[in-house]
Amino acid sequence: MFKPRTIFCAALISCTVLLTSACTDHQQVKQDLVQAVAKQEQIQSYRYAGEAELKLDASLFSGSQPVTAALLGLVKESKFEYSGLVSLADPVRMEASVKLTPKGAASPIELPFLLKDNKMYLQMPAITKADEYLMLPLDKQADKLKNTGRLSASIIGKLLEGVDPNWLEPGSKDEKLAEGEPAKRITLTVTDKNKQDMAKYFAAALPSVLNELMTSGLSGTGQSEEWKKSLERIKIEAPTTLSILIDNQGFIREQTGKLYFSVEGGNDAKNSVEWTYKVQEINQTPAFTKEAPKQVKHAEDILRLLPKPQAGKK
């Protein structure tokens, strides 16, 4: 017959084993995330799809240029749906289908996009006709686009270098991609308890990220300073979350996020951006379908329509 003391000791040992096995190795979770981000540099082609929903307060655009403010005003409460193909091999080729639906609109605004033969083609309803595209020559910028995988991995890597592992949580062991393939989930969550520490950390990490953009040639010094000032006004709020799914090869295949933030000096309104982003057919031969449009409007044609600066004014 079992004695009470024996039963108690057995129960205590069992509880200890269960608690120990349930502990999360946050350092390992962070290492898995860092490795997955670095793996993105190996991607040369892929198919993507996703959507984003924006709910932004007008105070976010205060001080912007009139044209910028007008464009942001159009999308401040809107939904984006996007899909496309990308090949970063030389020459770079991309095609995308973007649908923008402002709040209250009866139908979406379609914004086709094509990058081919070092030329970018955009269809913009306010500028081009239904069968006409705005054409922008990329010249040397095309070479920089080939390095977007490396640049993206480098930027996100810098942001993650000093992230507190305790901000990251693993998903369940039976996580799967939409296609049914097993996957590993990692989620970063902003709470009322950690949001101040997170804000301090990302504010400190921002300069190295902007410096990376300047080094790559994708951002000038003046533009980076403007971004820095704008980002310094933003306060990330709880319950912001970012969740990713990593496949068996180590690639990030799905991303979902909910970003909540307020603007310093604004009216304390909470802005939000929710999005999903999925990637398929990594490093497979992309089946492009879009061809260079026949009807194009050159960038110079648009510049001629803009008012010329008056003498003596900058």
Side-chain angles (χ1 to χ4, degrees):
M1 187 174 180
F2 292 109
K3 297 181 180 180
R5 180 180 176 84
T6 303
I7 296 174
F8 175 78
C9 290
L12 181 61
I13 293 172
S14 298
C15 288
T16 302
V17 171
L18 287 173
L19 288 172
T20 304
S21 62
C23 287
T24 299
D25 186 347
H26 291 278
Q27 290 286 354
Q28 184 60 54
V29 174
K30 178 180 176 179
Q31 185 62 30
D32 291 342
L33 179 58
V34 170
Q35 289 177 350
V37 169
K39 184 84 171 180
Q40 301 308 101
E41 188 175 345
Q42 300 177 21
I43 297 178
Q44 289 297 305
S45 64
Y46 57 96
R47 181 184 295 276
Y48 67 91
E51 61 182 39
E53 188 168 347
L54 282 62
K55 294 181 181 178
L56 308 176
D57 187 75
S59 62
L60 185 63
F61 318 133
S62 61
S64 300
Q65 295 293 330
V67 175
T68 302
L71 290 174
L72 292 174
L74 178 66
V75 303
K76 67 185 180 71
E77 290 192 60
S78 60
K79 181 178 181 180
F80 284 87
E81 298 172 84
Y82 46 88
S83 60
L85 281 168
V86 176
S87 173
L88 299 177
D90 195 11
V92 176
R93 183 168 178 176
M94 305 179 188
E95 63 180 40
S97 174
V98 181
K99 292 183 179 180
L100 163 64
T101 307
K103 182 179 180 181
S107 58
I109 300 171
E110 298 193 16
L111 304 168
F113 167 88
L114 174 65
L115 193 158
K116 184 181 179 183
D117 299 327
N118 292 341
K119 296 181 181 66
M120 183 186 298
Y121 300 92
L122 302 167
Q123 194 173 71
M124 305 180 71
I127 298 176
T128 57
K129 299 176 183 178
D131 58 348
E132 186 179 53
Y133 283 71
L134 176 65
M135 190 276 284
L136 302 171
L138 293 178
D139 299 325
K140 295 181 180 180
Q141 292 294 330
D143 292 332
K144 296 175 182 177
L145 291 174
K146 291 186 293 187
N147 297 319
T148 52
R150 182 206 63 78
L151 179 62
S152 176
S154 177
I155 288 175
I156 299 176
K158 288 182 180 299
L159 283 174
L160 294 176
E161 280 178 353
V163 161
D164 188 334
N166 291 313
W167 298 344
L168 305 171
E169 291 294 338
S172 64
K173 294 183 178 181
D174 57 352
E175 297 282 358
K176 293 183 179 181
L177 299 173
E179 301 83 3
E181 181 183 343
K184 180 185 297 183
R185 183 182 297 278
I186 298 177
T187 301
L188 182 149
T189 303
V190 178
T191 66
D192 288 329
K193 291 183 178 180
N194 68 19
K195 69 178 183 180
Q196 290 185 347
D197 290 335
M198 277 197 181
K200 290 178 182 178
Y201 169 71
F202 285 114
L206 181 61
S208 62
V209 171
L210 294 178
N211 183 63
E212 186 75 17
L213 286 171
M214 286 190 290
T215 302
S216 70
L218 294 178
S219 171
T221 304
Q223 188 179 42
S224 295
E225 285 300 319
E226 288 183 11
W227 287 353
K228 183 178 179 180
K229 291 178 181 178
S230 297
L231 291 171
E232 285 175 348
R233 296 176 58 213
I234 293 177
K235 296 166 57 181
I236 298 177
E237 304 287 352
T240 288
T241 60
L242 172 62
S243 183
I244 67 169
L245 283 176
I246 305 169
D247 67 14
N248 286 335
Q249 292 181 298
F251 291 113
I252 297 175
R253 292 281 302 279
E254 294 186 16
Q255 180 187 128
T256 57
K258 295 182 179 180
L259 170 64
Y260 298 97
F261 64 95
S262 58
V263 181
E264 195 173 274
N267 55 12
D268 294 328
K270 183 177 285 190
N271 303 270
S272 68
V273 180
E274 297 188 27
W275 72 94
T276 62
Y277 180 74
K278 299 181 180 180
V279 175
Q280 296 176 310
E281 301 175 18
I282 293 176
N283 293 338
Q284 297 180 21
T285 302
F288 291 107
T289 58
K290 296 182 183 292
E291 294 297 334
K294 296 179 180 180
Q295 300 293 327
V296 299
K297 184 185 290 288
H298 294 269
E300 292 81 359
D301 298 332
I302 303 300
L303 293 174
R304 291 192 192 100
L305 300 176
L306 297 176
K308 296 180 179 180
Q310 297 180 11
K313 290 187 178 182
K314 295 183 179 180

